[in-house]
Amino acid sequence: QAQLVQSGGGLVQAGGSLRLSCKASRIITSVFNPSTMGWYRQAPGKQRELVASLAPGGVTNYADFVKGRFAISRDSSKKMVYLDMDNLEPDDTAVYFCRIQPRGAGDYWGQGTQVTVSS
């Protein structure tokens, strides 16, 4: 089964920037490339919600609350997915998860990484 290992995150002041990374392993390139990638987040006491997604063809989708501030990208040669977060706000504080959904079957999640934005 594929494994996703996240890195990045941490504590940042409001207005700051962070990059989250997600490394996929145990997944071959022909499965990774046509997969849908996504970043989700879950704040304390709230449900997990979609932050951004990236379809195999390159189409991106962003939640309204991050539009213009966050960007999702991928590096297929490294089997990496990224979330660049700019102009962070205290309400962005949450545990962030990456997700890969291969075409046809499978649904894999990263272990989660804490992002804390101080005011």
Side-chain angles (χ1 to χ4, degrees):
Q1 281 194 339
Q3 286 189 338
L4 305 182
V5 178
Q6 297 178 219
S7 59
L11 175 64
V12 65
Q13 288 188 331
S17 299
L18 284 173
R19 164 174 266 203
L20 303 183
S21 300
C22 179
K23 170 70 174 176
S25 62
R26 300 184 182 179
I27 183 171
I28 59 177
T29 302
S30 61
V31 174
F32 179 86
N33 286 350
S35 298
T36 297
M37 317 292 178
W39 286 95
Y40 294 71
R41 71 185 189 187
Q42 187 166 17
K46 294 187 177 181
Q47 289 188 330
R48 191 172 297 186
E49 59 186 357
L50 174 68
V51 174
S53 65
L54 175 59
V59 176
T60 56
N61 179 47
Y62 294 95
D64 287 343
F65 51 77
V66 302
K67 280 183 180 177
R69 300 189 298 124
F70 291 11
I72 186 172
S73 61
R74 63 193 289 170
D75 184 336
S76 295
S77 66
K78 298 179 180 178
K79 296 179 187 173
M80 296 287 295
V81 185
Y82 304 101
L83 184 68
D84 290 296
M85 305 183 292
D86 294 323
N87 195 19
L88 283 160
E89 304 169 353
D91 284 347
D92 294 320
T93 296
V95 177
Y96 285 71
F97 300 87
C98 64
R99 181 185 190 186
I100 290 180
Q101 297 170 276
R103 183 178 296 169
D107 190 354
Y108 305 101
W109 291 85
Q111 81 277 16
T113 185
Q114 178 69 45
V115 171
T116 302
V117 184
S118 63
S119 57

